[in-house]
Amino acid sequence: MSEPLLTLEIEKLVAGGLGLARDESGVVLVRGALPGERVTARVRAGKGVRQGTVVEVLRRSPDRVDAPELPTADLAHARYEAQLAYKKAFVEEALSRIAKVRRPVNDTVPSPQAWAYRNTAQYLVTPQGLAYRERRGSDPLVVDKDPLVMPQIQAVVDRINPALLDPATEVAFRASGLTGEVVAALIGAGETRQYLRASDHLMDAGVVGVSLAQPAGRRFSAGVRLIAGESEIREQFGQVQVSVSATGFAQVNPQAAGLAYLRAAQLAGEGDHAVDLYGGSGAIGRHLASAFRKVTVLDSAPEALSRGRQDVAVSGEHNVVYRSGDAARFSELGTDVIVVDPPRAGLDEEAREQIHASTADRLVYVSCDPATWARDVGDLLRRGWKLGEVTPHDFYPQTSHVEIVSVLNR
């Protein structure tokens, strides 16, 4: 049975960059639509809310622009100024609907660059060329030019012959805006000797190092081995330099992330002891070092902690301490301020309990997901905390993702 075509009026955008419309059967969420538009959409039935995709725009929003076809760029069809307004609205809506709080949210802090900002990319290796990974059941989309990645990555991609990357199934890149260097990781099964030709080709194309990662359900969890050159390069985030690799976690937009980290440090204030939960290699925690006698960075990823220890050995920040541990079992005493930047799932109940039971009277909460952030904020407000500044930051222009920098006080 073919999917029906419906003519719909788009009321607003909701999380995920979807246009919300209603008909006699209820709500429809439409990909590729903007508020105020009248569209024809192909709608598929299914459990829960129906979803559709724009086929034709019958009445065009003044915010609509022509956009490249990219699987991840679900807001590229809107003017950048409009994207920032939509992201502010996503945060306000999460606060009112989930946390049950109606209060003003600051304007979204724009990314210094709206295009060519990503310092990382991961592509499938196909006979037709490097390709975007499949999204929503569609075939891989061969990359010609990727307008989201830093020019350093594009320059390497332009020089690659995918046939020479065999037997790799995917390739990942990380670039540095600070040094201009690029490192790569081949993803494929087998031994490093099977990838020597592919590694040589990548080095010839301009990367400064190549690693091999075994395929795994969770990205890069099955081990990474260096084949040639460097495994890490240096990058600037706000006031600090950190080591980044093609396989380790680091924010993809260093300039935008740096602005958020500087703001988080301002909100943290000063004191004796600050704890950075889910701290990774300490990019946020190190911004607190000048205002606190001691900063403890807590994370469960050995790779991130190792990079962080190496970074502070170079920078000489003697008051930053790295500890392996689970945020849900955080029991540090004598803490003035806690900073959290958790994964998309937010703070679990035990982590919220630990934060509430701590001696900290201030929590700086950095989040990449308005829904889980609002859930956690609502819980802390019911425990007696007070919500202060809330500022959306745009780390991912042309997409519906939004980061939040916020502060709660006892």
Side-chain angles (χ1 to χ4, degrees):
M1 190 173 73
S2 63
E3 297 171 337
L5 285 176
L6 300 180
T7 300
L8 300 165
E9 297 277 346
I10 307 300
E11 297 176 19
K12 65 176 183 177
L13 274 198
V14 297
L18 301 168
L20 185 145
R22 300 174 206 268
D23 66 3
E24 61 278 3
S25 300
V27 168
V28 186
L29 298 178
V30 183
R31 189 169 301 282
L34 293 176
E37 291 189 330
R38 183 178 174 85
V39 302
T40 304
R42 194 175 302 283
V43 177
R44 64 180 182 277
K47 290 182 180 177
V49 176
R50 292 166 296 158
Q51 295 205 11
T53 306
V54 169
V55 173
E56 185 182 1
V57 179
L58 304 174
R59 185 178 66 242
R60 185 181 172 105
S61 164
D63 289 326
R64 180 173 284 276
V65 295
D66 294 331
E69 180 60 40
L70 297 169
T72 55
D74 54 11
L75 271 189
H77 55 289
R79 286 187 312 116
Y80 187 53
E81 294 74 18
Q83 294 178 33
L84 298 174
Y86 298 146
K87 295 182 186 196
K88 175 182 177 179
F90 295 161
V91 178
E92 289 175 328
E93 198 266 344
L95 258 185
S96 62
R97 179 174 60 85
I98 300 170
K100 310 298 184 198
V101 175
R102 291 195 177 276
R103 52 154 298 149
V105 167
N106 291 335
D107 289 342
T108 307
V109 176
S111 169
Q113 290 179 240
W115 294 96
Y117 61 85
R118 283 189 66 99
N119 69 356
T120 189
Q122 186 171 333
Y123 302 118
L124 291 171
V125 179
T126 77
Q128 293 74 39
L130 300 186
Y132 295 107
R133 307 179 75 181
E134 303 97 325
R135 285 286 174 120
R136 295 184 290 277
S138 59
D139 292 330
L141 182 66
V142 174
V143 177
D144 179 23
K145 299 293 181 188
D146 188 339
L148 295 182
V149 301
M150 285 183 175
Q152 294 92 332
I153 293 177
Q154 185 65 57
V156 170
V157 169
D158 288 343
R159 293 192 284 266
I160 286 177
N161 175 358
L164 297 179
L165 298 183
D166 185 72
T169 54
E170 296 182 67
V171 61
F173 299 100
R174 175 84 67 176
S176 166
L178 177 68
T179 68
E181 296 170 310
V182 180
V183 285
L186 295 160
I187 300 160
E191 297 301 315
T192 52
R193 56 185 164 76
Q194 297 170 253
Y195 294 87
L196 293 177
R197 182 185 72 161
S199 173
D200 287 346
H201 181 53
L202 286 170
M203 296 291 280
D204 290 343
V207 307
V208 299
V210 181
S211 299
L212 174 65
Q214 300 296 314
R218 195 164 55 83
R219 287 180 82 228
F220 309 124
S221 61
V224 180
R225 286 170 288 170
L226 183 64
I227 304 176
E230 305 295 326
S231 61
E232 297 173 348
I233 49 181
R234 305 286 293 169
E235 182 57 284
Q236 187 85 24
F237 287 85
Q239 291 175 335
V240 304
Q241 286 187 19
V242 302
S243 303
V244 295
S245 69
T247 56
F249 176 78
Q251 289 292 354
V252 307
N253 187 339
Q255 288 183 297
L259 294 175
Y261 297 168
L262 289 165
R263 187 62 196 141
Q266 290 172 336
L267 293 174
E270 57 186 33
D272 185 60
H273 187 196
V275 174
D276 181 9
L277 297 185
Y278 310 93
S281 62
I284 298 179
R286 288 173 60 201
H287 278 87
L288 312 180
S290 62
F292 289 83
R293 183 185 62 81
K294 179 183 177 185
V295 177
T296 301
V297 178
L298 191 74
D299 201 274
S300 57
E303 182 269 342
L305 293 169
S306 174
R307 280 193 291 118
R309 291 185 181 108
Q310 291 169 11
D311 288 340
V312 297
V314 172
S315 65
E317 290 153 311
H318 301 299
N319 62 334
V320 180
V321 177
Y322 288 84
R323 272 185 44 186
S324 179
D326 182 343
R329 282 185 267 294
F330 153 71
S331 58
E332 196 69 46
L333 296 174
T335 305
D336 304 313
V337 174
I338 298 171
V339 178
V340 294
D341 184 8
R344 195 165 294 282
L347 301 170
D348 64 27
E349 189 171 348
E350 195 175 346
R352 297 195 298 271
E353 289 280 358
Q354 292 277 338
I355 288 167
H356 187 60
S358 76
T359 56
D361 54 15
R362 179 168 297 169
L363 172 69
V364 179
Y365 193 155
V366 180
S367 170
C368 62
D369 188 281
T372 58
W373 167 81
R375 175 204 66 201
D376 296 344
V377 165
D379 180 41
L380 291 165
L381 294 180
R382 286 186 290 277
R383 295 171 190 257
W385 292 70
K386 298 279 186 285
L387 181 61
E389 176 181 310
V390 176
T391 305
H393 282 251
D394 191 15
F395 289 14
Y396 297 89
Q398 318 309 326
T399 81
S400 58
H401 294 293
V402 60
E403 303 276 326
I404 303 162
V405 177
S406 61
V407 64
L408 294 101
N409 296 290
R410 294 270 186 190

